Coordinates of all heavy atoms in Angstrom, one line a residue:
P398 N 45.4 96.3 144.3 CA 44.2 97.0 143.8 C 43.4 96.0 143.0 O 43.9 95.2 142.2 CB 44.7 98.1 143.0 CG 46.2 98.1 143.1 CD 46.6 96.9 143.8
G399 N 42.1 96.1 143.2 CA 41.1 95.3 142.4 C 40.8 95.9 141.1 O 41.3 97.0 140.7
R400 N 39.9 95.2 140.4 CA 39.5 95.8 139.1 C 38.5 96.9 139.3 O 37.8 96.9 140.3 CB 38.8 94.6 138.3 CG 39.7 93.5 137.9 CD 39.1 92.5 137.0 NE 38.5 93.2 135.9 CZ 37.7 92.7 135.0 NH1 37.5 91.4 135.1 NH2 37.2 93.4 134.0
V401 N 38.5 97.8 138.3 CA 37.5 98.9 138.4 C 36.2 98.4 137.7 O 36.3 97.9 136.6 CB 38.1 100.1 137.6 CG1 37.0 101.2 137.6 CG2 39.3 100.6 138.3
D402 N 35.1 98.6 138.4 CA 33.8 98.3 137.8 C 32.8 99.4 138.1 O 33.1 100.3 138.9 CB 33.3 96.9 138.2 CG 33.1 96.8 139.7 OD1 33.0 97.9 140.4 OD2 32.9 95.7 140.2
S403 N 31.7 99.4 137.5 CA 30.7 100.5 137.6 C 30.2 100.6 139.1 O 30.0 101.7 139.6 CB 29.6 100.3 136.7 OG 28.8 99.1 136.9
M404 N 30.1 99.5 139.8 CA 29.6 99.6 141.1 C 30.7 100.2 142.0 O 30.4 101.0 142.9 CB 29.2 98.2 141.7 CG 28.0 97.6 141.0 SD 26.5 98.6 141.3 CE 26.3 98.6 143.0
G405 N 31.9 99.9 141.8 CA 33.0 100.5 142.6 C 33.1 102.0 142.3 O 33.3 102.8 143.2
V406 N 32.9 102.4 141.1 CA 33.0 103.8 140.7 C 31.8 104.5 141.4 O 32.0 105.6 141.9 CB 33.0 104.0 139.2 CG1 32.8 105.4 138.8 CG2 34.3 103.4 138.6
T407 N 30.6 103.9 141.3 CA 29.5 104.5 142.0 C 29.7 104.7 143.5 O 29.4 105.8 144.0 CB 28.2 103.7 141.7 OG1 28.0 103.6 140.3 CG2 27.0 104.2 142.4
R408 N 30.2 103.7 144.1 CA 30.5 103.8 145.6 C 31.5 104.9 145.8 O 31.3 105.7 146.8 CB 31.0 102.5 146.1 CG 29.9 101.4 146.3 CD 30.4 100.2 147.1 NE 31.5 99.5 146.5 CZ 31.4 98.6 145.6 NH1 30.2 98.2 145.2 NH2 32.4 98.0 145.0
A409 N 32.5 105.0 145.0 CA 33.5 106.1 145.2 C 32.9 107.4 145.0 O 33.3 108.4 145.7 CB 34.7 105.8 144.2
L410 N 32.1 107.6 144.0 CA 31.4 108.9 143.8 C 30.6 109.3 145.0 O 30.6 110.4 145.4 CB 30.5 108.8 142.5 CG 31.2 108.7 141.2 CD1 30.2 108.4 140.1 CD2 31.9 110.0 140.9
V411 N 29.8 108.3 145.5 CA 29.0 108.6 146.7 C 29.8 109.0 147.9 O 29.6 110.0 148.6 CB 28.1 107.4 147.0 CG1 27.4 107.6 148.3 CG2 27.0 107.2 145.9
R412 N 30.9 108.3 148.1 CA 31.9 108.6 149.2 C 32.4 110.0 149.0 O 32.7 110.7 150.0 CB 33.0 107.6 149.3 CG 32.6 106.3 150.0 CD 33.8 105.5 150.4 NE 34.7 105.3 149.3 CZ 34.7 104.2 148.4 NH1 33.7 103.3 148.5 NH2 35.6 104.1 147.5
A413 N 32.6 110.4 147.8 CA 33.2 111.8 147.5 C 32.2 112.9 147.5 O 32.5 114.0 147.3 CB 33.9 111.7 146.1
G414 N 30.9 112.5 147.8 CA 29.8 113.5 147.8 C 29.2 113.8 146.5 O 28.5 114.8 146.4
V415 N 29.4 113.0 145.5 CA 28.9 113.2 144.1 C 27.7 112.4 143.9 O 27.7 111.2 144.3 CB 30.0 112.9 143.1 CG1 29.4 113.1 141.7 CG2 31.2 113.8 143.2
D416 N 26.6 113.0 143.4 CA 25.4 112.2 143.1 C 25.6 111.5 141.7 O 25.7 112.2 140.7 CB 24.2 113.2 143.0 CG 22.9 112.5 142.7 OD1 22.9 111.3 142.2 OD2 21.9 113.2 142.8
P417 N 25.7 110.2 141.7 CA 26.0 109.5 140.4 C 25.0 109.8 139.3 O 25.3 110.0 138.2 CB 26.0 108.0 140.8 CG 26.3 108.0 142.2 CD 25.7 109.3 142.8
A418 N 23.7 109.9 139.7 CA 22.7 110.2 138.7 C 22.8 111.6 138.1 O 22.7 111.8 136.9 CB 21.3 110.0 139.3
N419 N 23.1 112.5 139.0 CA 23.4 113.9 138.5 C 24.6 114.0 137.6 O 24.5 114.7 136.6 CB 23.5 114.8 139.7 CG 23.5 116.3 139.4 OD1 23.0 116.7 138.3 ND2 24.2 117.1 140.2
L420 N 25.6 113.3 138.0 CA 26.8 113.3 137.1 C 26.5 112.6 135.8 O 26.9 113.2 134.7 CB 28.0 112.5 137.8 CG 29.2 112.3 137.0 CD1 29.9 113.7 136.7 CD2 30.2 111.4 137.7
A421 N 25.8 111.5 135.7 CA 25.4 110.9 134.5 C 24.6 111.8 133.6 O 24.8 111.9 132.4 CB 24.7 109.6 134.8
S422 N 23.7 112.5 134.2 CA 22.9 113.5 133.5 C 23.7 114.6 132.9 O 23.6 115.0 131.7 CB 21.8 114.1 134.4 OG 21.1 115.1 133.8
C423 N 24.7 115.1 133.6 CA 25.6 116.2 133.1 C 26.4 115.6 132.0 O 26.7 116.3 131.0 CB 26.5 116.7 134.2 SG 25.6 117.7 135.5
M424 N 26.9 114.4 132.2 CA 27.8 113.8 131.2 C 27.1 113.5 129.8 O 27.7 113.4 128.8 CB 28.4 112.5 131.7 CG 29.4 112.7 132.9 SD 30.8 113.7 132.5 CE 31.7 112.6 131.4
A425 N 25.8 113.5 129.9 CA 25.0 113.2 128.7 C 24.7 114.4 127.8 O 24.2 114.3 126.8 CB 23.7 112.5 129.1
T426 N 25.2 115.6 128.3 CA 24.9 116.8 127.5 C 26.0 117.1 126.5 O 27.1 116.6 126.6 CB 24.8 118.0 128.5 OG1 26.1 118.3 129.0 CG2 23.8 117.8 129.6
A427 N 25.7 117.9 125.5 CA 26.7 118.2 124.4 C 27.8 119.1 125.0 O 28.9 119.1 124.5 CB 26.0 118.9 123.3
D428 N 27.5 119.8 126.1 CA 28.5 120.6 126.7 C 29.8 119.8 127.1 O 30.9 120.4 127.1 CB 28.0 121.3 128.0 CG 26.9 122.3 127.6 OD1 26.8 122.7 126.4 OD2 26.1 122.7 128.5
V429 N 29.6 118.6 127.4 CA 30.7 117.7 127.9 C 31.8 117.6 126.7 O 32.9 117.8 127.0 CB 30.3 116.3 128.3 CG1 31.4 115.4 128.6 CG2 29.4 116.5 129.6
D430 N 31.3 117.3 125.5 CA 32.2 117.2 124.4 C 33.0 118.5 124.2 O 34.2 118.4 123.9 CB 31.4 116.8 123.1 CG 30.9 115.4 123.2 OD1 31.4 114.6 124.0 OD2 29.9 115.1 122.5
S431 N 32.3 119.6 124.2 CA 33.0 120.9 124.0 C 34.0 121.2 125.1 O 35.1 121.7 124.9 CB 32.0 122.0 123.8 OG 31.3 122.3 125.0
A432 N 33.7 120.8 126.3 CA 34.6 121.0 127.5 C 35.8 120.2 127.3 O 36.9 120.6 127.6 CB 33.9 120.8 128.8
I433 N 35.6 118.9 126.9 CA 36.8 118.0 126.7 C 37.6 118.5 125.6 O 38.9 118.6 125.7 CB 36.3 116.6 126.5 CG1 35.7 116.0 127.8 CG2 37.5 115.7 126.0 CD1 35.0 114.7 127.7
A434 N 37.0 118.9 124.5 CA 37.8 119.5 123.3 C 38.6 120.7 123.8 O 39.7 120.9 123.4 CB 36.8 119.8 122.2
R435 N 38.0 121.6 124.6 CA 38.7 122.7 125.1 C 39.9 122.3 125.9 O 41.0 122.9 125.7 CB 37.7 123.6 125.9 CG 38.4 124.9 126.4 CD 37.7 125.5 127.6 NE 37.8 124.6 128.8 CZ 36.8 124.4 129.6 NH1 35.6 124.9 129.5 NH2 37.0 123.6 130.6
D436 N 39.7 121.4 126.8 CA 40.8 120.9 127.6 C 41.9 120.3 126.8 O 43.1 120.5 127.1 CB 40.3 120.0 128.7 CG 39.5 120.7 129.8 OD1 39.5 121.9 129.8 OD2 38.9 120.0 130.6
V437 N 41.6 119.5 125.8 CA 42.6 118.9 124.9 C 43.4 120.0 124.2 O 44.6 120.0 124.0 CB 42.0 117.9 123.9 CG1 42.9 117.5 122.9 CG2 41.5 116.7 124.7
R438 N 42.6 121.1 123.7 CA 43.3 122.2 123.0 C 44.2 122.9 124.0 O 45.4 123.2 123.6 CB 42.2 123.2 122.5 CG 42.8 124.3 121.7 CD 41.7 125.3 121.2 NE 41.3 126.2 122.4 CZ 40.2 126.1 123.0 NH1 39.2 125.2 122.6 NH2 39.9 126.9 124.0
I439 N 43.8 123.1 125.2 CA 44.7 123.8 126.2 C 45.9 122.9 126.4 O 47.1 123.4 126.5 CB 44.0 124.0 127.5 CG1 42.9 125.1 127.3 CG2 44.9 124.4 128.6 CD1 41.9 125.2 128.5
W440 N 45.7 121.6 126.6 CA 46.9 120.6 126.8 C 47.9 120.8 125.6 O 49.1 121.0 125.9 CB 46.3 119.2 126.8 CG 47.4 118.2 126.8 CD1 48.1 117.6 125.8 CD2 47.9 117.5 128.0 NE1 49.0 116.7 126.2 CE2 48.9 116.6 127.6 CE3 47.6 117.6 129.4 CZ2 49.6 115.8 128.5 CZ3 48.3 116.8 130.2 CH2 49.3 115.9 129.8
N441 N 47.4 120.9 124.4 CA 48.3 121.0 123.3 C 48.9 122.4 123.2 O 50.1 122.5 122.9 CB 47.5 120.7 122.0 CG 47.2 119.3 121.8 OD1 47.9 118.4 122.3 ND2 46.0 119.0 121.2
E442 N 48.1 123.5 123.5 CA 48.7 124.8 123.5 C 49.8 125.0 124.5 O 50.7 125.7 124.3 CB 47.6 125.8 123.7 CG 46.6 126.0 122.5 CD 45.4 126.9 122.9 OE1 45.3 127.4 124.0 OE2 44.6 127.1 122.0
L443 N 49.6 124.4 125.7 CA 50.6 124.5 126.8 C 51.7 123.5 126.6 O 52.7 123.6 127.4 CB 49.9 124.4 128.1 CG 48.9 125.4 128.5 CD1 48.2 125.1 129.8 CD2 49.5 126.8 128.5
D444 N 51.7 122.7 125.6 CA 52.7 121.6 125.4 C 52.9 120.9 126.7 O 54.1 120.7 127.1 CB 54.0 122.3 124.8 CG 54.9 121.2 124.3 OD1 54.4 120.1 123.8 OD2 56.1 121.5 124.3
M445 N 51.9 120.5 127.3 CA 52.0 119.8 128.6 C 52.5 118.4 128.3 O 52.0 117.6 127.6 CB 50.6 119.7 129.3 CG 50.1 121.1 129.7 SD 48.4 121.2 130.3 CE 48.1 119.7 131.2
G446 N 53.6 118.0 129.0 CA 54.1 116.7 128.9 C 54.1 116.0 130.2 O 54.6 114.8 130.3
S447 N 53.7 116.6 131.3 CA 53.7 116.1 132.6 C 52.4 115.3 132.8 O 51.3 115.7 132.6 CB 53.8 117.2 133.6 OG 53.7 116.6 134.9
V448 N 52.6 114.1 133.3 CA 51.5 113.2 133.7 C 51.7 112.8 135.2 O 52.8 112.3 135.5 CB 51.4 112.0 132.8 CG1 50.2 111.1 133.3 CG2 51.1 112.4 131.4
P449 N 50.8 113.1 136.1 CA 49.5 113.6 135.8 C 49.5 115.1 135.7 O 50.3 115.8 136.3 CB 48.6 113.2 137.0 CG 49.6 113.1 138.1 CD 51.0 112.7 137.5
S450 N 48.6 115.6 134.9 CA 48.3 117.1 134.8 C 46.8 117.2 134.8 O 46.1 116.3 134.3 CB 48.9 117.7 133.6 OG 50.3 117.8 133.6
L451 N 46.3 118.2 135.4 CA 44.9 118.3 135.5 C 44.5 119.7 135.0 O 45.1 120.7 135.4 CB 44.5 118.1 136.9 CG 43.0 118.1 137.3 CD1 42.3 117.0 136.6 CD2 42.9 117.9 138.8
V452 N 43.5 119.8 134.2 CA 42.9 121.1 133.8 C 41.5 121.1 134.2 O 40.7 120.3 133.8 CB 43.1 121.3 132.2 CG1 42.4 122.7 131.8 CG2 44.5 121.3 131.8
I453 N 41.1 122.1 135.0 CA 39.7 122.3 135.4 C 39.3 123.7 135.1 O 39.9 124.6 135.6 CB 39.5 122.0 136.9 CG1 39.9 120.6 137.3 CG2 38.0 122.2 137.3 CD1 39.9 120.3 138.8
N454 N 38.3 123.8 134.2 CA 37.8 125.2 133.8 C 39.0 126.1 133.4 O 39.0 127.3 133.7 CB 37.1 125.8 134.9 CG 35.7 125.2 135.2 OD1 35.3 124.2 134.4 ND2 35.0 125.6 136.1
G455 N 40.0 125.5 132.7 CA 41.1 126.3 132.2 C 42.2 126.5 133.1 O 43.2 127.1 132.8
H456 N 42.1 126.0 134.3 CA 43.2 126.1 135.3 C 44.1 124.8 135.3 O 43.6 123.7 135.4 CB 42.6 126.3 136.7 CG 41.8 127.5 136.9 ND1 42.3 128.7 137.1 CD2 40.4 127.7 136.8 CE1 41.3 129.6 137.2 NE2 40.2 129.0 137.0
L457 N 45.4 125.0 135.2 CA 46.3 123.9 135.0 C 47.0 123.6 136.4 O 47.4 124.5 137.1 CB 47.4 124.3 134.0 CG 48.6 123.4 134.0 CD1 48.3 122.0 133.5 CD2 49.7 124.1 133.1
K458 N 47.0 122.3 136.7 CA 47.7 121.8 137.8 C 48.6 120.6 137.3 O 48.1 119.6 136.9 CB 46.8 121.3 138.9 CG 47.4 120.6 140.1 CD 48.4 121.4 140.9 CE 48.9 120.7 142.1 NZ 50.3 120.3 142.0
S459 N 49.9 120.8 137.3 CA 50.8 119.8 136.9 C 51.3 119.0 138.1 O 51.4 119.6 139.2 CB 52.0 120.4 136.2 OG 51.7 121.0 135.0
G460 N 51.5 117.7 137.9 CA 51.9 116.9 139.0 C 50.7 116.4 139.8 O 49.5 116.6 139.4
G461 N 50.9 115.6 140.8 CA 49.9 115.1 141.6 C 49.1 116.1 142.4 O 49.6 117.2 142.6
I462 N 47.9 115.7 142.8 CA 47.1 116.6 143.6 C 46.4 115.7 144.7 O 45.9 114.6 144.3 CB 46.1 117.4 142.8 CG1 45.3 118.4 143.7 CG2 45.1 116.5 142.1 CD1 44.5 119.4 142.9
Y463 N 46.4 116.1 145.9 CA 45.8 115.4 147.0 C 44.2 115.4 146.7 O 43.7 116.4 146.3 CB 46.1 115.9 148.3 CG 47.5 115.7 148.8 CD1 48.4 116.7 148.7 CD2 47.9 114.4 149.2 CE1 49.7 116.5 149.1 CE2 49.2 114.2 149.6 CZ 50.1 115.2 149.6 OH 51.4 115.0 149.9
P464 N 43.6 114.3 147.0 CA 42.1 114.2 146.8 C 41.4 115.3 147.6 O 40.4 115.9 147.1 CB 41.7 112.8 147.3 CG 43.0 112.0 147.1 CD 44.1 113.0 147.4
T465 N 41.9 115.6 148.8 CA 41.2 116.7 149.6 C 41.3 118.0 148.9 O 40.4 118.9 148.9 CB 41.8 116.8 151.0 OG1 43.2 116.9 151.0 CG2 41.4 115.6 151.8
T466 N 42.5 118.3 148.3 CA 42.7 119.5 147.6 C 41.8 119.6 146.3 O 41.2 120.6 146.0 CB 44.2 119.7 147.2 OG1 45.0 119.6 148.4 CG2 44.4 121.0 146.5
L467 N 41.8 118.5 145.6 CA 40.9 118.4 144.4 C 39.5 118.7 144.8 O 38.8 119.4 144.1 CB 41.1 117.0 143.7 CG 40.3 116.8 142.5 CD1 40.6 117.9 141.4 CD2 40.5 115.4 141.9
R468 N 39.0 118.0 145.8 CA 37.6 118.3 146.2 C 37.4 119.8 146.6 O 36.3 120.3 146.2 CB 37.2 117.4 147.5 CG 36.8 116.0 147.1 CD 36.2 115.3 148.3 NE 37.2 114.9 149.3 CZ 38.0 113.8 149.3 NH1 37.9 113.0 148.3 NH2 38.8 113.6 150.3
A469 N 38.3 120.4 147.2 CA 38.2 121.8 147.6 C 38.1 122.7 146.3 O 37.3 123.6 146.2 CB 39.3 122.2 148.5
V470 N 39.0 122.4 145.4 CA 39.0 123.1 144.1 C 37.7 123.0 143.4 O 37.1 123.9 142.9 CB 40.2 122.7 143.2 CG1 40.1 123.2 141.8 CG2 41.5 123.1 143.8
I471 N 37.2 121.7 143.3 CA 35.9 121.5 142.5 C 34.8 122.2 143.3 O 34.0 122.8 142.6 CB 35.7 120.0 142.4 CG1 36.7 119.4 141.4 CG2 34.3 119.7 141.9 CD1 36.7 117.9 141.4
R472 N 34.7 122.1 144.6 CA 33.6 122.7 145.3 C 33.7 124.3 145.1 O 32.6 124.9 144.9 CB 33.7 122.4 146.8 CG 33.3 121.0 147.0 CD 33.2 120.6 148.5 NE 32.8 119.3 148.7 CZ 33.4 118.4 149.4 NH1 34.4 118.7 150.1 NH2 32.9 117.1 149.5
A473 N 34.9 124.8 145.1 CA 35.0 126.3 144.9 C 34.5 126.7 143.5 O 33.8 127.7 143.4 CB 36.4 126.7 145.2
L474 N 34.9 125.9 142.5 CA 34.5 126.2 141.2 C 33.0 126.0 141.0 O 32.4 126.8 140.3 CB 35.3 125.3 140.2 CG 36.8 125.6 140.0 CD1 37.5 124.5 139.2 CD2 37.0 127.0 139.4
L475 N 32.4 125.0 141.6 CA 31.0 124.8 141.5 C 30.2 125.9 142.2 O 29.1 126.3 141.8 CB 30.6 123.5 142.1 CG 31.0 122.2 141.3 CD1 30.7 121.0 142.1 CD2 30.3 122.2 140.0
A476 N 30.8 126.4 143.3 CA 30.1 127.5 144.0 C 30.2 128.9 143.3 O 29.4 129.7 143.5 CB 30.8 127.7 145.4
N477 N 31.2 129.0 142.4 CA 31.4 130.2 141.7 C 31.6 129.9 140.2 O 32.7 130.1 139.7 CB 32.6 131.0 142.2 CG 32.5 131.4 143.7 OD1 31.6 132.1 144.1 ND2 33.4 130.8 144.5
P478 N 30.5 129.5 139.5 CA 30.7 129.1 138.1 C 31.1 130.3 137.3 O 30.7 131.4 137.6 CB 29.3 128.5 137.7 CG 28.4 129.0 138.8 CD 29.2 129.3 140.0
A479 N 31.9 130.0 136.3 CA 32.3 131.1 135.3 C 31.2 131.6 134.4 O 30.2 130.9 134.2 CB 33.5 130.6 134.5

């Protein structure tokens, strides 16, 4: 594996169907900090010790997850926001 750089990340985002400019805009909002704080709180409340573990909108997935499954979960959550 090579080094991770911003151009490589941008290419990976585009390949995954993510608009890098849209993601950057979303990440610049104050909502991001509160969402991360919420996920950290959930991590601590659930005493999660498994890595990798993934929390998306309060849903916990311990262990690995296939990229195709992750994309499907994210698309479903985006289609039906809470």
Side-chain angles (χ1 to χ4, degrees):
R400 292 186 54 186
V401 175
D402 62 18
S403 63
M404 290 302 295
V406 170
T407 299
R408 285 191 299 273
L410 288 170
V411 170
R412 280 194 309 271
V415 176
D416 178 350
N419 190 25
L420 178 62
S422 174
C423 289
M424 295 297 292
T426 67
D428 294 340
V429 172
D430 291 336
S431 64
I433 291 171
R435 181 198 68 220
D436 287 351
V437 169
R438 186 183 72 252
I439 292 169
W440 175 276
N441 290 327
E442 288 172 359
L443 296 176
D444 194 26
M445 293 170 39
S447 176
V448 175
S450 290
L451 185 61
V452 177
I453 301 175
N454 289 358
H456 299 278
L457 168 65
K458 170 64 174 111
S459 294
I462 186 169
Y463 289 104
T465 53
T466 303
L467 179 58
R468 277 192 289 275
V470 168
I471 291 171
R472 286 185 179 131
L474 290 169
L475 289 172
N477 300 300

